[in-house]
Amino acid sequence: MSVYVVTGVSKGIGFEFLNQLSNNQENTVIGLVRDKAGTEKKVAAELGGRANVHILQADLDKYTTLKQAAADTAAILGPERGVDYLVANGAFIPYLDAYGPIGDLSDKPYEVETVSANLMQTNVVGNIHLFNLFLRLVQRSPIKKVIAITSGLADLDLTNEFELENGALYSASKAALNVIVGKFNAQYKKDGVLFLSISPGVVEVGKYGDATPEELQGFGGFVQKILAYAPDFKGPITPEESVRHVRATWEKASIEGGFGGAFISHLGNKQWV
């Protein structure tokens, strides 16, 4: 039925994308990961080694690996078939600023510089290369959808109104990615390619398991602010629920519907949780 290329499928919502999309045996799902062998082992153990799943080695920080993955994808699909959905899910999520405000890093200039450079390389530059290298295959498809998985924390209105302090560097990288998606839309909208940024919501992927009591206290403050924004918030949703909503949103989205270059939530609007 459809061809999907998804980055970062080794764990979290990436693996859940792989699971849900490959559940339909008529789909072809190509996952890009740094650890090919480990991911293939996980697919065999948890998904029964589905024949419609192809795992390719690629690293968003290494252009040559992305170029090879694009060539390998073309070989898998053959000369006529294209990529219907390119899903830029892979990302660098740093620990440095996950729980506290940016001002608390004033005594860590080296760490700020190093993490910021890594974020820019992986979350922004890496995805620019991904889009450019796979665009030829996307343009072969009658569907032509490129989806970037972003973050609601990149929304300035949400940040300012509810004083959301944490994740400043990560949020900035996702805001930059949103701009890149908009710029690709500006160039390729006329060719029928939908570029769209979607936040997956607040998702439980085990990232808080190693947090210190102080860090958990900071996360608790974040939760209180989210409750002020969304009083019905019951806590992070599961990867299964997040991916289900994201998929429903990208299915409904179209250039004709005004979604070209948009930055929206998993619910298809600006409701981030």
Side-chain angles (χ1 to χ4, degrees):
M1 286 192 37
S2 294
V3 175
Y4 300 85
V5 173
V6 187
T7 62
V9 300
S10 63
K11 59 184 178 180
I13 65 171
F15 190 80
E16 185 58 29
F17 274 124
L18 195 70
N19 174 35
Q20 290 189 26
L21 297 172
S22 66
N23 192 47
N24 183 338
Q25 288 297 312
E26 294 186 12
N27 290 336
T28 297
V29 186
I30 299 171
L32 275 54
V33 295
R34 286 176 295 179
D35 181 6
K36 182 176 186 290
T39 304
E40 287 178 332
K41 184 177 180 181
K42 183 174 182 177
V43 169
E46 299 186 27
L47 303 184
R50 296 174 183 175
N52 60 335
V53 172
H54 304 266
I55 302 299
L56 301 178
Q57 197 279 326
D59 187 334
L60 287 169
D61 295 342
K62 298 178 181 178
Y63 177 82
T64 56
T65 67
L66 291 169
K67 185 176 181 180
Q68 185 60 54
D72 292 343
T73 297
I76 290 168
L77 299 179
E80 303 298 330
R81 202 169 186 191
V83 172
D84 299 309
Y85 301 84
L86 176 62
V87 184
N89 167 73
F92 170 49
I93 304 176
Y95 185 82
L96 179 67
D97 66 337
Y99 299 99
I102 189 70
D104 286 1
L105 303 178
S106 62
D107 60 343
K108 298 180 179 180
Y110 174 78
E111 291 89 340
V112 168
E113 290 179 5
T114 301
V115 167
S116 296
N118 290 343
L119 282 163
M120 188 67 183
Q121 178 60 49
T122 305
N123 297 355
V124 183
V125 177
N127 282 314
I128 292 172
H129 294 329
L130 178 77
F131 298 161
N132 280 327
L133 288 166
F134 279 84
L135 188 60
R136 176 177 61 88
L137 294 174
V138 171
Q139 289 175 318
R140 287 184 189 172
S141 162
I143 296 174
K144 298 183 180 67
K145 291 188 177 183
V146 179
I147 310 299
I149 301 303
T150 184
S151 173
L153 290 174
D155 180 17
L156 280 178
D157 290 337
L158 179 70
T159 295
N160 289 324
E161 183 174 354
F162 294 93
E163 300 177 354
L164 298 180
E165 302 170 331
N166 63 305
L169 302 177
Y170 172 72
S171 302
S173 75
K174 288 298 188 176
L177 175 61
N178 295 345
V179 171
I180 292 300
V181 168
K183 296 300 184 180
F184 269 94
N185 167 71
Q187 182 175 0
Y188 293 104
K189 178 180 177 180
K190 65 181 182 299
D191 300 326
V193 183
L194 173 67
F195 281 87
L196 176 63
S197 296
I198 303 179
S199 166
V202 181
V203 187
E204 175 52 64
V205 291
K207 63 180 288 188
Y208 308 111
D210 298 326
T212 67
E214 293 79 10
E215 289 167 341
L216 286 176
Q217 184 177 3
F219 178 69
F222 168 75
V223 170
Q224 291 304 311
K225 292 175 180 179
I226 291 297
L227 282 169
Y229 167 69
D232 294 332
F233 179 65
K234 300 295 190 296
I237 60 178
T238 64
E240 186 278 330
E241 182 178 356
S242 171
V243 169
R244 180 162 41 83
H245 282 304
V246 170
R247 291 177 58 206
T249 292
W250 79 38
E251 289 298 335
K252 292 184 291 186
S254 66
I255 292 174
E256 295 76 18
F259 287 91
F263 165 36
I264 57 176
S265 75
H266 59 303
L267 302 174
N269 51 34
K270 294 289 186 177
Q271 181 66 36
W272 303 113
V273 297

PDB file of all heavy atoms in Angstrom, residues 207-233:
ATOM      1  N   LYS A 207      12.550   8.237  29.905  1.00  0.00           N
ATOM      2  CA  LYS A 207      13.660   9.188  30.055  1.00  0.00           C
ATOM      3  C   LYS A 207      13.822   9.697  31.481  1.00  0.00           C
ATOM      4  O   LYS A 207      14.836  10.295  31.831  1.00  0.00           O
ATOM      5  CB  LYS A 207      13.489  10.371  29.109  1.00  0.00           C
ATOM      6  CG  LYS A 207      12.267  11.214  29.363  1.00  0.00           C
ATOM      7  CD  LYS A 207      12.165  12.376  28.389  1.00  0.00           C
ATOM      8  CE  LYS A 207      13.166  13.460  28.633  1.00  0.00           C
ATOM      9  NZ  LYS A 207      12.934  14.661  27.809  1.00  0.00           N
ATOM     10  N   TYR A 208      12.818   9.489  32.347  1.00  0.00           N
ATOM     11  CA  TYR A 208      12.894  10.014  33.707  1.00  0.00           C
ATOM     12  C   TYR A 208      13.373   8.977  34.724  1.00  0.00           C
ATOM     13  O   TYR A 208      13.476   9.259  35.905  1.00  0.00           O
ATOM     14  CB  TYR A 208      11.519  10.545  34.137  1.00  0.00           C
ATOM     15  CG  TYR A 208      10.933  11.516  33.142  1.00  0.00           C
ATOM     16  CD1 TYR A 208       9.812  11.182  32.386  1.00  0.00           C
ATOM     17  CD2 TYR A 208      11.521  12.752  32.921  1.00  0.00           C
ATOM     18  CE1 TYR A 208       9.297  12.068  31.449  1.00  0.00           C
ATOM     19  CE2 TYR A 208      11.006  13.641  31.986  1.00  0.00           C
ATOM     20  CZ  TYR A 208       9.890  13.286  31.252  1.00  0.00           C
ATOM     21  OH  TYR A 208       9.380  14.157  30.322  1.00  0.00           O
ATOM     22  N   GLY A 209      13.690   7.787  34.268  1.00  0.00           N
ATOM     23  CA  GLY A 209      14.056   6.707  35.175  1.00  0.00           C
ATOM     24  C   GLY A 209      15.321   6.955  35.961  1.00  0.00           C
ATOM     25  O   GLY A 209      15.447   6.504  37.105  1.00  0.00           O
ATOM     26  N   ASP A 210      16.282   7.671  35.404  1.00  0.00           N
ATOM     27  CA  ASP A 210      17.566   7.916  36.069  1.00  0.00           C
ATOM     28  C   ASP A 210      17.682   9.315  36.652  1.00  0.00           C
ATOM     29  O   ASP A 210      18.768   9.734  37.050  1.00  0.00           O
ATOM     30  CB  ASP A 210      18.715   7.683  35.072  1.00  0.00           C
ATOM     31  CG  ASP A 210      18.766   6.254  34.570  1.00  0.00           C
ATOM     32  OD1 ASP A 210      18.438   5.354  35.359  1.00  0.00           O
ATOM     33  OD2 ASP A 210      19.117   6.054  33.399  1.00  0.00           O
ATOM     34  N   ALA A 211      16.584  10.025  36.732  1.00  0.00           N
ATOM     35  CA  ALA A 211      16.630  11.395  37.238  1.00  0.00           C
ATOM     36  C   ALA A 211      16.887  11.421  38.740  1.00  0.00           C
ATOM     37  O   ALA A 211      16.442  10.548  39.494  1.00  0.00           O
ATOM     38  CB  ALA A 211      15.318  12.103  36.930  1.00  0.00           C
ATOM     39  N   THR A 212      17.621  12.447  39.179  1.00  0.00           N
ATOM     40  CA  THR A 212      17.871  12.645  40.600  1.00  0.00           C
ATOM     41  C   THR A 212      16.622  13.229  41.253  1.00  0.00           C
ATOM     42  O   THR A 212      15.724  13.747  40.567  1.00  0.00           O
ATOM     43  CB  THR A 212      19.041  13.613  40.809  1.00  0.00           C
ATOM     44  OG1 THR A 212      18.651  14.915  40.344  1.00  0.00           O
ATOM     45  CG2 THR A 212      20.278  13.149  40.065  1.00  0.00           C
ATOM     46  N   PRO A 213      16.546  13.184  42.605  1.00  0.00           N
ATOM     47  CA  PRO A 213      15.383  13.800  43.276  1.00  0.00           C
ATOM     48  C   PRO A 213      15.215  15.269  42.910  1.00  0.00           C
ATOM     49  O   PRO A 213      14.087  15.750  42.738  1.00  0.00           O
ATOM     50  CB  PRO A 213      15.726  13.620  44.758  1.00  0.00           C
ATOM     51  CG  PRO A 213      16.567  12.390  44.799  1.00  0.00           C
ATOM     52  CD  PRO A 213      17.396  12.446  43.541  1.00  0.00           C
ATOM     53  N   GLU A 214      16.339  16.004  42.789  1.00  0.00           N
ATOM     54  CA  GLU A 214      16.253  17.420  42.425  1.00  0.00           C
ATOM     55  C   GLU A 214      15.706  17.590  41.013  1.00  0.00           C
ATOM     56  O   GLU A 214      14.902  18.501  40.742  1.00  0.00           O
ATOM     57  CB  GLU A 214      17.638  18.076  42.530  1.00  0.00           C
ATOM     58  CG  GLU A 214      18.183  18.176  43.946  1.00  0.00           C
ATOM     59  CD  GLU A 214      18.759  16.860  44.454  1.00  0.00           C
ATOM     60  OE1 GLU A 214      18.911  15.904  43.639  1.00  0.00           O
ATOM     61  OE2 GLU A 214      19.055  16.777  45.653  1.00  0.00           O
ATOM     62  N   GLU A 215      16.141  16.721  40.124  1.00  0.00           N
ATOM     63  CA  GLU A 215      15.659  16.801  38.744  1.00  0.00           C
ATOM     64  C   GLU A 215      14.184  16.430  38.653  1.00  0.00           C
ATOM     65  O   GLU A 215      13.420  17.050  37.899  1.00  0.00           O
ATOM     66  CB  GLU A 215      16.512  15.892  37.861  1.00  0.00           C
ATOM     67  CG  GLU A 215      17.910  16.434  37.647  1.00  0.00           C
ATOM     68  CD  GLU A 215      18.858  15.413  37.057  1.00  0.00           C
ATOM     69  OE1 GLU A 215      18.582  14.197  37.133  1.00  0.00           O
ATOM     70  OE2 GLU A 215      19.898  15.826  36.515  1.00  0.00           O
ATOM     71  N   LEU A 216      13.787  15.441  39.428  1.00  0.00           N
ATOM     72  CA  LEU A 216      12.371  15.070  39.445  1.00  0.00           C
ATOM     73  C   LEU A 216      11.520  16.201  40.019  1.00  0.00           C
ATOM     74  O   LEU A 216      10.383  16.406  39.591  1.00  0.00           O
ATOM     75  CB  LEU A 216      12.169  13.789  40.260  1.00  0.00           C
ATOM     76  CG  LEU A 216      12.638  12.497  39.587  1.00  0.00           C
ATOM     77  CD1 LEU A 216      12.466  11.324  40.533  1.00  0.00           C
ATOM     78  CD2 LEU A 216      11.876  12.251  38.288  1.00  0.00           C
ATOM     79  N   GLN A 217      12.077  16.929  40.976  1.00  0.00           N
ATOM     80  CA  GLN A 217      11.362  18.093  41.508  1.00  0.00           C
ATOM     81  C   GLN A 217      11.161  19.138  40.415  1.00  0.00           C
ATOM     82  O   GLN A 217      10.088  19.736  40.291  1.00  0.00           O
ATOM     83  CB  GLN A 217      12.134  18.685  42.683  1.00  0.00           C
ATOM     84  CG  GLN A 217      11.406  19.856  43.351  1.00  0.00           C
ATOM     85  CD  GLN A 217      12.162  20.370  44.561  1.00  0.00           C
ATOM     86  OE1 GLN A 217      13.244  19.905  44.884  1.00  0.00           O
ATOM     87  NE2 GLN A 217      11.584  21.360  45.238  1.00  0.00           N
ATOM     88  N   GLY A 218      12.207  19.326  39.601  1.00  0.00           N
ATOM     89  CA  GLY A 218      12.086  20.249  38.478  1.00  0.00           C
ATOM     90  C   GLY A 218      11.052  19.780  37.476  1.00  0.00           C
ATOM     91  O   GLY A 218      10.266  20.584  36.944  1.00  0.00           O
ATOM     92  N   PHE A 219      11.017  18.478  37.215  1.00  0.00           N
ATOM     93  CA  PHE A 219      10.013  17.936  36.302  1.00  0.00           C
ATOM     94  C   PHE A 219       8.609  18.118  36.883  1.00  0.00           C
ATOM     95  O   PHE A 219       7.659  18.392  36.149  1.00  0.00           O
ATOM     96  CB  PHE A 219      10.289  16.459  36.032  1.00  0.00           C
ATOM     97  CG  PHE A 219       9.274  15.818  35.131  1.00  0.00           C
ATOM     98  CD1 PHE A 219       9.193  16.167  33.793  1.00  0.00           C
ATOM     99  CD2 PHE A 219       8.382  14.878  35.620  1.00  0.00           C
ATOM    100  CE1 PHE A 219       8.257  15.586  32.952  1.00  0.00           C
ATOM    101  CE2 PHE A 219       7.448  14.288  34.792  1.00  0.00           C
ATOM    102  CZ  PHE A 219       7.379  14.641  33.457  1.00  0.00           C
ATOM    103  N   GLY A 220       8.505  17.977  38.222  1.00  0.00           N
ATOM    104  CA  GLY A 220       7.210  18.195  38.857  1.00  0.00           C
ATOM    105  C   GLY A 220       6.708  19.613  38.647  1.00  0.00           C
ATOM    106  O   GLY A 220       5.510  19.835  38.428  1.00  0.00           O
ATOM    107  N   GLY A 221       7.635  20.580  38.691  1.00  0.00           N
ATOM    108  CA  GLY A 221       7.250  21.964  38.418  1.00  0.00           C
ATOM    109  C   GLY A 221       6.772  22.141  36.993  1.00  0.00           C
ATOM    110  O   GLY A 221       5.807  22.884  36.731  1.00  0.00           O
ATOM    111  N   PHE A 222       7.422  21.442  36.064  1.00  0.00           N
ATOM    112  CA  PHE A 222       6.998  21.478  34.665  1.00  0.00           C
ATOM    113  C   PHE A 222       5.581  20.911  34.524  1.00  0.00           C
ATOM    114  O   PHE A 222       4.738  21.473  33.821  1.00  0.00           O
ATOM    115  CB  PHE A 222       7.989  20.666  33.819  1.00  0.00           C
ATOM    116  CG  PHE A 222       7.537  20.374  32.419  1.00  0.00           C
ATOM    117  CD1 PHE A 222       7.543  21.360  31.450  1.00  0.00           C
ATOM    118  CD2 PHE A 222       7.098  19.104  32.064  1.00  0.00           C
ATOM    119  CE1 PHE A 222       7.133  21.099  30.147  1.00  0.00           C
ATOM    120  CE2 PHE A 222       6.686  18.831  30.774  1.00  0.00           C
ATOM    121  CZ  PHE A 222       6.699  19.827  29.817  1.00  0.00           C
ATOM    122  N   VAL A 223       5.316  19.803  35.225  1.00  0.00           N
ATOM    123  CA  VAL A 223       3.994  19.181  35.155  1.00  0.00           C
ATOM    124  C   VAL A 223       2.925  20.141  35.681  1.00  0.00           C
ATOM    125  O   VAL A 223       1.830  20.240  35.109  1.00  0.00           O
ATOM    126  CB  VAL A 223       3.970  17.850  35.940  1.00  0.00           C
ATOM    127  CG1 VAL A 223       2.539  17.326  36.076  1.00  0.00           C
ATOM    128  CG2 VAL A 223       4.837  16.807  35.248  1.00  0.00           C
ATOM    129  N   GLN A 224       3.229  20.867  36.755  1.00  0.00           N
ATOM    130  CA  GLN A 224       2.262  21.817  37.298  1.00  0.00           C
ATOM    131  C   GLN A 224       1.926  22.912  36.286  1.00  0.00           C
ATOM    132  O   GLN A 224       0.776  23.344  36.178  1.00  0.00           O
ATOM    133  CB  GLN A 224       2.804  22.428  38.589  1.00  0.00           C
ATOM    134  CG  GLN A 224       2.882  21.452  39.748  1.00  0.00           C
ATOM    135  CD  GLN A 224       1.544  20.793  40.057  1.00  0.00           C
ATOM    136  OE1 GLN A 224       0.511  21.464  40.176  1.00  0.00           O
ATOM    137  NE2 GLN A 224       1.555  19.475  40.169  1.00  0.00           N
ATOM    138  N   LYS A 225       2.924  23.347  35.535  1.00  0.00           N
ATOM    139  CA  LYS A 225       2.683  24.359  34.514  1.00  0.00           C
ATOM    140  C   LYS A 225       1.871  23.786  33.349  1.00  0.00           C
ATOM    141  O   LYS A 225       1.018  24.484  32.781  1.00  0.00           O
ATOM    142  CB  LYS A 225       4.009  24.929  34.017  1.00  0.00           C
ATOM    143  CG  LYS A 225       4.720  25.759  35.081  1.00  0.00           C
ATOM    144  CD  LYS A 225       6.085  26.228  34.638  1.00  0.00           C
ATOM    145  CE  LYS A 225       6.752  27.055  35.739  1.00  0.00           C
ATOM    146  NZ  LYS A 225       8.099  27.524  35.354  1.00  0.00           N
ATOM    147  N   ILE A 226       2.134  22.526  33.007  1.00  0.00           N
ATOM    148  CA  ILE A 226       1.336  21.873  31.970  1.00  0.00           C
ATOM    149  C   ILE A 226      -0.115  21.741  32.426  1.00  0.00           C
ATOM    150  O   ILE A 226      -1.056  21.910  31.631  1.00  0.00           O
ATOM    151  CB  ILE A 226       1.935  20.495  31.619  1.00  0.00           C
ATOM    152  CG1 ILE A 226       3.275  20.665  30.896  1.00  0.00           C
ATOM    153  CG2 ILE A 226       0.981  19.684  30.761  1.00  0.00           C
ATOM    154  CD1 ILE A 226       3.189  21.381  29.569  1.00  0.00           C
ATOM    155  N   LEU A 227      -0.317  21.456  33.718  1.00  0.00           N
ATOM    156  CA  LEU A 227      -1.685  21.358  34.240  1.00  0.00           C
ATOM    157  C   LEU A 227      -2.397  22.707  34.176  1.00  0.00           C
ATOM    158  O   LEU A 227      -3.609  22.763  33.963  1.00  0.00           O
ATOM    159  CB  LEU A 227      -1.659  20.841  35.679  1.00  0.00           C
ATOM    160  CG  LEU A 227      -1.450  19.336  35.839  1.00  0.00           C
ATOM    161  CD1 LEU A 227      -1.172  18.988  37.294  1.00  0.00           C
ATOM    162  CD2 LEU A 227      -2.669  18.569  35.321  1.00  0.00           C
ATOM    163  N   ALA A 228      -1.650  23.779  34.359  1.00  0.00           N
ATOM    164  CA  ALA A 228      -2.257  25.105  34.218  1.00  0.00           C
ATOM    165  C   ALA A 228      -2.682  25.344  32.773  1.00  0.00           C
ATOM    166  O   ALA A 228      -3.691  25.996  32.508  1.00  0.00           O
ATOM    167  CB  ALA A 228      -1.270  26.178  34.666  1.00  0.00           C
ATOM    168  N   TYR A 229      -1.890  24.810  31.847  1.00  0.00           N
ATOM    169  CA  TYR A 229      -2.202  24.939  30.415  1.00  0.00           C
ATOM    170  C   TYR A 229      -3.332  24.003  30.006  1.00  0.00           C
ATOM    171  O   TYR A 229      -4.235  24.372  29.250  1.00  0.00           O
ATOM    172  CB  TYR A 229      -0.940  24.633  29.613  1.00  0.00           C
ATOM    173  CG  TYR A 229      -1.149  24.412  28.128  1.00  0.00           C
ATOM    174  CD1 TYR A 229      -1.516  25.457  27.280  1.00  0.00           C
ATOM    175  CD2 TYR A 229      -0.967  23.144  27.565  1.00  0.00           C
ATOM    176  CE1 TYR A 229      -1.700  25.253  25.932  1.00  0.00           C
ATOM    177  CE2 TYR A 229      -1.147  22.937  26.210  1.00  0.00           C
ATOM    178  CZ  TYR A 229      -1.518  23.989  25.398  1.00  0.00           C
ATOM    179  OH  TYR A 229      -1.705  23.778  24.053  1.00  0.00           O
ATOM    180  N   ALA A 230      -3.273  22.758  30.511  1.00  0.00           N
ATOM    181  CA  ALA A 230      -4.252  21.725  30.136  1.00  0.00           C
ATOM    182  C   ALA A 230      -4.714  21.024  31.410  1.00  0.00           C
ATOM    183  O   ALA A 230      -4.110  20.022  31.823  1.00  0.00           O
ATOM    184  CB  ALA A 230      -3.636  20.734  29.162  1.00  0.00           C
ATOM    185  N   PRO A 231      -5.750  21.522  32.074  1.00  0.00           N
ATOM    186  CA  PRO A 231      -6.197  20.961  33.354  1.00  0.00           C
ATOM    187  C   PRO A 231      -6.553  19.481  33.302  1.00  0.00           C
ATOM    188  O   PRO A 231      -6.518  18.805  34.340  1.00  0.00           O
ATOM    189  CB  PRO A 231      -7.434  21.816  33.690  1.00  0.00           C
ATOM    190  CG  PRO A 231      -7.199  23.108  32.976  1.00  0.00           C
ATOM    191  CD  PRO A 231      -6.499  22.736  31.709  1.00  0.00           C
ATOM    192  N   ASP A 232      -6.877  18.954  32.141  1.00  0.00           N
ATOM    193  CA  ASP A 232      -7.238  17.545  32.022  1.00  0.00           C
ATOM    194  C   ASP A 232      -6.028  16.639  31.794  1.00  0.00           C
ATOM    195  O   ASP A 232      -6.177  15.438  31.597  1.00  0.00           O
ATOM    196  CB  ASP A 232      -8.228  17.353  30.865  1.00  0.00           C
ATOM    197  CG  ASP A 232      -9.570  18.020  31.138  1.00  0.00           C
ATOM    198  OD1 ASP A 232      -9.932  18.148  32.318  1.00  0.00           O
ATOM    199  OD2 ASP A 232     -10.243  18.408  30.161  1.00  0.00           O
ATOM    200  N   PHE A 233      -4.826  17.219  31.839  1.00  0.00           N
ATOM    201  CA  PHE A 233      -3.598  16.442  31.619  1.00  0.00           C
ATOM    202  C   PHE A 233      -3.481  15.343  32.671  1.00  0.00           C
ATOM    203  O   PHE A 233      -3.505  15.604  33.867  1.00  0.00           O
ATOM    204  CB  PHE A 233      -2.392  17.372  31.676  1.00  0.00           C
ATOM    205  CG  PHE A 233      -1.057  16.697  31.487  1.00  0.00           C
ATOM    206  CD1 PHE A 233      -0.740  16.092  30.283  1.00  0.00           C
ATOM    207  CD2 PHE A 233      -0.124  16.688  32.520  1.00  0.00           C
ATOM    208  CE1 PHE A 233       0.506  15.487  30.102  1.00  0.00           C
ATOM    209  CE2 PHE A 233       1.119  16.102  32.342  1.00  0.00           C
ATOM    210  CZ  PHE A 233       1.430  15.485  31.141  1.00  0.00           C
TER     211      PHE A 233
END
